[in-house]
Amino acid sequence: MTNALSLDTYRLLGRSGLRVSPLALGAMTFGADWGWGSDRDESKRIFDAYLDRGGNFIDTANKYTNGTSERLVGEFAGDRRERLVLATKYTLMMRPGDPNSGGNHRKSMVRSVEASLGRLRTDYIDILYLHAWDGTAPVEEILRAMDDLVRAGKVLYVAISDTPAWQVSRMQAIADLRGWAPLVALQIEYSLIERTVERELIPMAQEMGLGVIPWSPLASGVLTGKYSKADLDAGGGSPDATGTRKNIAAGNGSLTARGLDIAEVVKAVAAESGKTPAQIALAWTLLHPAVTAPIMGARTLKQLEDNLGALDVRLTDSQRARLDQASAVELGFPHDFLARPLTRSVVFGDVKIAAPR
């Protein structure tokens, strides 16, 4: 069974000494610029309630709600800024038609950080994420630019999001060998509906010293039980954040027949536990030893309070097994290879190793 937690049961982030809450507050919902977020007053209620419970880990990005998210976070933080761990991101294009206003390269990174510092009303960013891999900038350029920002005191820690496992591990090795600032966190989509990251990304993060920060742990709301098979008839959908929430869920692959089947198991476990489906789904992500803090994307104070109830959930071994079975994915080689019983040996050249039958 899981042990009850609280927002002030702080955890170390990766191999750093930075202490963060076990649930991060996602600020992508701060601002109504994209048509579905929270207005200023509701965003402040959410922000204040999270801090009042002992929360200290805030996640935003330069592009969220066209910059409004960072501006609101900076306004709300005020004289409480020092107690907060503010994480933001760079990469997404900020000015249409300007090819250098986005991307992973040094110019994009440095200018994005300067703009974020202004919007956040602070002189340093606690954690800077590379938001998404663009496949063009040399890793040495990225890592050296990150290290320069750390040495300048404008960024304290660097991290990465939505990048292939082999590239992240390569970058971490280069940073270690050259004495540059290491990556301390990996932000990836992870939920009962999206478990393919257990194949490579999560084992890599554990091995390389990165704390896993899951985004969309409720699978765009599908795991809250808000959708039914009737919603599948809508079809289509786009993962573009400016679409409707249902279209986003359909477009990113969460709102599917399989996703709804998993959500039904979550609802059943919630009913017998006296909890909500959202609380069960969030509590499940917290069970993985590599996970530091799932990101909550609440749009209302009521949703936030419901999500925080995940800290009180205690799943039985039987309930966890049912959730695992309903959402299982094929892990494949090498994870499955190492997990199965070793019963015979195989010779590769002149090296003998044990192997599964």
PDB file of all heavy atoms in Angstrom, residues 77-98:
ATOM      1  N   ALA A  77       3.480  35.239  -7.354  1.00  0.00           N
ATOM      2  CA  ALA A  77       4.595  34.853  -6.473  1.00  0.00           C
ATOM      3  C   ALA A  77       4.956  36.007  -5.541  1.00  0.00           C
ATOM      4  O   ALA A  77       5.099  35.827  -4.332  1.00  0.00           O
ATOM      5  CB  ALA A  77       5.800  34.438  -7.311  1.00  0.00           C
ATOM      6  N   GLY A  78       5.099  37.186  -6.091  1.00  0.00           N
ATOM      7  CA  GLY A  78       5.373  38.363  -5.277  1.00  0.00           C
ATOM      8  C   GLY A  78       6.506  38.148  -4.295  1.00  0.00           C
ATOM      9  O   GLY A  78       7.583  37.653  -4.649  1.00  0.00           O
ATOM     10  N   ASP A  79       6.249  38.493  -3.021  1.00  0.00           N
ATOM     11  CA  ASP A  79       7.301  38.356  -2.014  1.00  0.00           C
ATOM     12  C   ASP A  79       7.471  36.918  -1.522  1.00  0.00           C
ATOM     13  O   ASP A  79       8.285  36.658  -0.638  1.00  0.00           O
ATOM     14  CB  ASP A  79       7.039  39.293  -0.826  1.00  0.00           C
ATOM     15  CG  ASP A  79       5.695  39.033  -0.142  1.00  0.00           C
ATOM     16  OD1 ASP A  79       5.035  38.023  -0.487  1.00  0.00           O
ATOM     17  OD2 ASP A  79       5.303  39.824   0.727  1.00  0.00           O
ATOM     18  N   ARG A  80       6.723  35.984  -2.122  1.00  0.00           N
ATOM     19  CA  ARG A  80       6.887  34.569  -1.780  1.00  0.00           C
ATOM     20  C   ARG A  80       7.820  33.859  -2.754  1.00  0.00           C
ATOM     21  O   ARG A  80       8.030  32.655  -2.652  1.00  0.00           O
ATOM     22  CB  ARG A  80       5.521  33.869  -1.786  1.00  0.00           C
ATOM     23  CG  ARG A  80       4.533  34.416  -0.774  1.00  0.00           C
ATOM     24  CD  ARG A  80       3.158  33.785  -0.904  1.00  0.00           C
ATOM     25  NE  ARG A  80       2.486  34.166  -2.137  1.00  0.00           N
ATOM     26  CZ  ARG A  80       1.255  33.776  -2.473  1.00  0.00           C
ATOM     27  NH1 ARG A  80       0.573  32.992  -1.659  1.00  0.00           N
ATOM     28  NH2 ARG A  80       0.699  34.172  -3.606  1.00  0.00           N
ATOM     29  N   ARG A  81       8.400  34.609  -3.677  1.00  0.00           N
ATOM     30  CA  ARG A  81       9.180  34.001  -4.730  1.00  0.00           C
ATOM     31  C   ARG A  81      10.300  33.095  -4.202  1.00  0.00           C
ATOM     32  O   ARG A  81      10.569  32.014  -4.738  1.00  0.00           O
ATOM     33  CB  ARG A  81       9.775  35.102  -5.617  1.00  0.00           C
ATOM     34  CG  ARG A  81      10.365  34.586  -6.935  1.00  0.00           C
ATOM     35  CD  ARG A  81      11.826  34.199  -6.802  1.00  0.00           C
ATOM     36  NE  ARG A  81      12.334  33.562  -7.995  1.00  0.00           N
ATOM     37  CZ  ARG A  81      12.412  32.255  -8.155  1.00  0.00           C
ATOM     38  NH1 ARG A  81      11.959  31.415  -7.239  1.00  0.00           N
ATOM     39  NH2 ARG A  81      12.951  31.737  -9.244  1.00  0.00           N
ATOM     40  N   GLU A  82      10.992  33.523  -3.143  1.00  0.00           N
ATOM     41  CA  GLU A  82      12.150  32.760  -2.661  1.00  0.00           C
ATOM     42  C   GLU A  82      11.788  31.364  -2.170  1.00  0.00           C
ATOM     43  O   GLU A  82      12.616  30.458  -2.206  1.00  0.00           O
ATOM     44  CB  GLU A  82      12.872  33.524  -1.552  1.00  0.00           C
ATOM     45  CG  GLU A  82      13.715  34.675  -2.055  1.00  0.00           C
ATOM     46  CD  GLU A  82      14.768  34.240  -3.053  1.00  0.00           C
ATOM     47  OE1 GLU A  82      15.478  33.254  -2.791  1.00  0.00           O
ATOM     48  OE2 GLU A  82      14.874  34.879  -4.120  1.00  0.00           O
ATOM     49  N   ARG A  83      10.572  31.142  -1.722  1.00  0.00           N
ATOM     50  CA  ARG A  83      10.188  29.822  -1.226  1.00  0.00           C
ATOM     51  C   ARG A  83       9.744  28.894  -2.347  1.00  0.00           C
ATOM     52  O   ARG A  83       9.468  27.724  -2.111  1.00  0.00           O
ATOM     53  CB  ARG A  83       9.074  29.920  -0.182  1.00  0.00           C
ATOM     54  CG  ARG A  83       7.781  30.535  -0.693  1.00  0.00           C
ATOM     55  CD  ARG A  83       6.613  30.326   0.257  1.00  0.00           C
ATOM     56  NE  ARG A  83       6.143  28.938   0.237  1.00  0.00           N
ATOM     57  CZ  ARG A  83       4.957  28.549   0.692  1.00  0.00           C
ATOM     58  NH1 ARG A  83       4.147  29.453   1.235  1.00  0.00           N
ATOM     59  NH2 ARG A  83       4.584  27.302   0.637  1.00  0.00           N
ATOM     60  N   LEU A  84       9.682  29.422  -3.564  1.00  0.00           N
ATOM     61  CA  LEU A  84       9.169  28.655  -4.692  1.00  0.00           C
ATOM     62  C   LEU A  84      10.283  28.094  -5.566  1.00  0.00           C
ATOM     63  O   LEU A  84      11.362  28.670  -5.683  1.00  0.00           O
ATOM     64  CB  LEU A  84       8.261  29.533  -5.554  1.00  0.00           C
ATOM     65  CG  LEU A  84       7.035  30.120  -4.873  1.00  0.00           C
ATOM     66  CD1 LEU A  84       6.272  31.009  -5.841  1.00  0.00           C
ATOM     67  CD2 LEU A  84       6.134  29.017  -4.331  1.00  0.00           C
ATOM     68  N   VAL A  85       9.987  26.975  -6.193  1.00  0.00           N
ATOM     69  CA  VAL A  85      10.834  26.417  -7.245  1.00  0.00           C
ATOM     70  C   VAL A  85      10.088  26.657  -8.553  1.00  0.00           C
ATOM     71  O   VAL A  85       9.097  25.983  -8.849  1.00  0.00           O
ATOM     72  CB  VAL A  85      11.089  24.912  -7.033  1.00  0.00           C
ATOM     73  CG1 VAL A  85      11.882  24.326  -8.195  1.00  0.00           C
ATOM     74  CG2 VAL A  85      11.821  24.674  -5.709  1.00  0.00           C
ATOM     75  N   LEU A  86      10.535  27.654  -9.310  1.00  0.00           N
ATOM     76  CA  LEU A  86       9.881  28.019 -10.557  1.00  0.00           C
ATOM     77  C   LEU A  86      10.573  27.335 -11.725  1.00  0.00           C
ATOM     78  O   LEU A  86      11.772  27.521 -11.949  1.00  0.00           O
ATOM     79  CB  LEU A  86       9.920  29.534 -10.765  1.00  0.00           C
ATOM     80  CG  LEU A  86       9.177  30.403  -9.743  1.00  0.00           C
ATOM     81  CD1 LEU A  86       9.246  31.868 -10.152  1.00  0.00           C
ATOM     82  CD2 LEU A  86       7.729  29.954  -9.605  1.00  0.00           C
ATOM     83  N   ALA A  87       9.808  26.543 -12.459  1.00  0.00           N
ATOM     84  CA  ALA A  87      10.332  25.855 -13.642  1.00  0.00           C
ATOM     85  C   ALA A  87       9.642  26.413 -14.874  1.00  0.00           C
ATOM     86  O   ALA A  87       8.414  26.516 -14.914  1.00  0.00           O
ATOM     87  CB  ALA A  87      10.079  24.351 -13.533  1.00  0.00           C
ATOM     88  N   THR A  88      10.434  26.779 -15.866  1.00  0.00           N
ATOM     89  CA  THR A  88       9.864  27.206 -17.137  1.00  0.00           C
ATOM     90  C   THR A  88      10.629  26.535 -18.269  1.00  0.00           C
ATOM     91  O   THR A  88      11.575  25.787 -18.042  1.00  0.00           O
ATOM     92  CB  THR A  88       9.856  28.745 -17.271  1.00  0.00           C
ATOM     93  OG1 THR A  88       9.026  29.110 -18.374  1.00  0.00           O
ATOM     94  CG2 THR A  88      11.254  29.303 -17.461  1.00  0.00           C
ATOM     95  N   LYS A  89      10.201  26.796 -19.504  1.00  0.00           N
ATOM     96  CA  LYS A  89      10.755  26.080 -20.652  1.00  0.00           C
ATOM     97  C   LYS A  89      11.003  27.031 -21.813  1.00  0.00           C
ATOM     98  O   LYS A  89      10.390  28.092 -21.899  1.00  0.00           O
ATOM     99  CB  LYS A  89       9.781  24.982 -21.108  1.00  0.00           C
ATOM    100  CG  LYS A  89       9.269  24.095 -19.989  1.00  0.00           C
ATOM    101  CD  LYS A  89       8.231  23.103 -20.504  1.00  0.00           C
ATOM    102  CE  LYS A  89       7.553  22.391 -19.356  1.00  0.00           C
ATOM    103  NZ  LYS A  89       6.582  23.252 -18.651  1.00  0.00           N
ATOM    104  N   TYR A  90      11.902  26.611 -22.683  1.00  0.00           N
ATOM    105  CA  TYR A  90      12.131  27.335 -23.933  1.00  0.00           C
ATOM    106  C   TYR A  90      12.098  26.320 -25.068  1.00  0.00           C
ATOM    107  O   TYR A  90      12.258  25.129 -24.836  1.00  0.00           O
ATOM    108  CB  TYR A  90      13.496  28.040 -23.908  1.00  0.00           C
ATOM    109  CG  TYR A  90      14.624  27.167 -24.429  1.00  0.00           C
ATOM    110  CD1 TYR A  90      15.097  27.323 -25.734  1.00  0.00           C
ATOM    111  CD2 TYR A  90      15.201  26.173 -23.644  1.00  0.00           C
ATOM    112  CE1 TYR A  90      16.116  26.509 -26.234  1.00  0.00           C
ATOM    113  CE2 TYR A  90      16.216  25.358 -24.132  1.00  0.00           C
ATOM    114  CZ  TYR A  90      16.675  25.531 -25.428  1.00  0.00           C
ATOM    115  OH  TYR A  90      17.665  24.721 -25.919  1.00  0.00           O
ATOM    116  N   THR A  91      11.865  26.755 -26.268  1.00  0.00           N
ATOM    117  CA  THR A  91      11.930  26.013 -27.529  1.00  0.00           C
ATOM    118  C   THR A  91      10.843  26.462 -28.482  1.00  0.00           C
ATOM    119  O   THR A  91      11.100  26.702 -29.655  1.00  0.00           O
ATOM    120  CB  THR A  91      11.809  24.480 -27.364  1.00  0.00           C
ATOM    121  OG1 THR A  91      12.940  23.961 -26.668  1.00  0.00           O
ATOM    122  CG2 THR A  91      11.734  23.791 -28.735  1.00  0.00           C
ATOM    123  N   LEU A  92       9.591  26.565 -28.000  1.00  0.00           N
ATOM    124  CA  LEU A  92       8.475  26.853 -28.904  1.00  0.00           C
ATOM    125  C   LEU A  92       8.570  28.269 -29.471  1.00  0.00           C
ATOM    126  O   LEU A  92       8.969  29.204 -28.780  1.00  0.00           O
ATOM    127  CB  LEU A  92       7.145  26.664 -28.174  1.00  0.00           C
ATOM    128  CG  LEU A  92       6.920  25.271 -27.564  1.00  0.00           C
ATOM    129  CD1 LEU A  92       5.530  25.173 -26.977  1.00  0.00           C
ATOM    130  CD2 LEU A  92       7.154  24.165 -28.604  1.00  0.00           C
ATOM    131  N   MET A  93       8.192  28.402 -30.737  1.00  0.00           N
ATOM    132  CA  MET A  93       8.321  29.680 -31.439  1.00  0.00           C
ATOM    133  C   MET A  93       7.398  30.745 -30.850  1.00  0.00           C
ATOM    134  O   MET A  93       6.215  30.518 -30.652  1.00  0.00           O
ATOM    135  CB  MET A  93       8.023  29.488 -32.924  1.00  0.00           C
ATOM    136  CG  MET A  93       8.287  30.717 -33.773  1.00  0.00           C
ATOM    137  SD  MET A  93       8.136  30.389 -35.547  1.00  0.00           S
ATOM    138  CE  MET A  93       9.581  29.345 -35.813  1.00  0.00           C
ATOM    139  N   MET A  94       7.962  31.904 -30.580  1.00  0.00           N
ATOM    140  CA  MET A  94       7.205  32.991 -29.971  1.00  0.00           C
ATOM    141  C   MET A  94       6.741  34.036 -30.981  1.00  0.00           C
ATOM    142  O   MET A  94       5.780  34.747 -30.745  1.00  0.00           O
ATOM    143  CB  MET A  94       8.056  33.666 -28.886  1.00  0.00           C
ATOM    144  CG  MET A  94       8.422  32.748 -27.725  1.00  0.00           C
ATOM    145  SD  MET A  94       6.969  32.144 -26.833  1.00  0.00           S
ATOM    146  CE  MET A  94       6.463  33.647 -25.982  1.00  0.00           C
ATOM    147  N   ARG A  95       7.455  34.144 -32.117  1.00  0.00           N
ATOM    148  CA  ARG A  95       7.093  35.162 -33.120  1.00  0.00           C
ATOM    149  C   ARG A  95       6.967  34.487 -34.478  1.00  0.00           C
ATOM    150  O   ARG A  95       7.982  34.113 -35.087  1.00  0.00           O
ATOM    151  CB  ARG A  95       8.155  36.263 -33.175  1.00  0.00           C
ATOM    152  CG  ARG A  95       8.264  37.090 -31.902  1.00  0.00           C
ATOM    153  CD  ARG A  95       9.295  38.201 -32.040  1.00  0.00           C
ATOM    154  NE  ARG A  95      10.636  37.662 -32.340  1.00  0.00           N
ATOM    155  CZ  ARG A  95      11.459  37.172 -31.420  1.00  0.00           C
ATOM    156  NH1 ARG A  95      11.083  37.128 -30.150  1.00  0.00           N
ATOM    157  NH2 ARG A  95      12.641  36.720 -31.769  1.00  0.00           N
ATOM    158  N   PRO A  96       5.744  34.331 -34.981  1.00  0.00           N
ATOM    159  CA  PRO A  96       5.558  33.723 -36.301  1.00  0.00           C
ATOM    160  C   PRO A  96       6.363  34.459 -37.360  1.00  0.00           C
ATOM    161  O   PRO A  96       6.417  35.697 -37.378  1.00  0.00           O
ATOM    162  CB  PRO A  96       4.052  33.866 -36.539  1.00  0.00           C
ATOM    163  CG  PRO A  96       3.458  33.951 -35.165  1.00  0.00           C
ATOM    164  CD  PRO A  96       4.467  34.702 -34.345  1.00  0.00           C
ATOM    165  N   GLY A  97       7.029  33.699 -38.214  1.00  0.00           N
ATOM    166  CA  GLY A  97       7.818  34.307 -39.267  1.00  0.00           C
ATOM    167  C   GLY A  97       9.264  34.532 -38.897  1.00  0.00           C
ATOM    168  O   GLY A  97      10.095  34.824 -39.763  1.00  0.00           O
ATOM    169  N   ASP A  98       9.604  34.412 -37.605  1.00  0.00           N
ATOM    170  CA  ASP A  98      10.997  34.566 -37.155  1.00  0.00           C
ATOM    171  C   ASP A  98      11.534  33.185 -36.809  1.00  0.00           C
ATOM    172  O   ASP A  98      11.219  32.640 -35.745  1.00  0.00           O
ATOM    173  CB  ASP A  98      11.058  35.485 -35.930  1.00  0.00           C
ATOM    174  CG  ASP A  98      12.484  35.661 -35.409  1.00  0.00           C
ATOM    175  OD1 ASP A  98      13.409  35.035 -35.963  1.00  0.00           O
ATOM    176  OD2 ASP A  98      12.657  36.424 -34.445  1.00  0.00           O
TER     177      ASP A  98
END
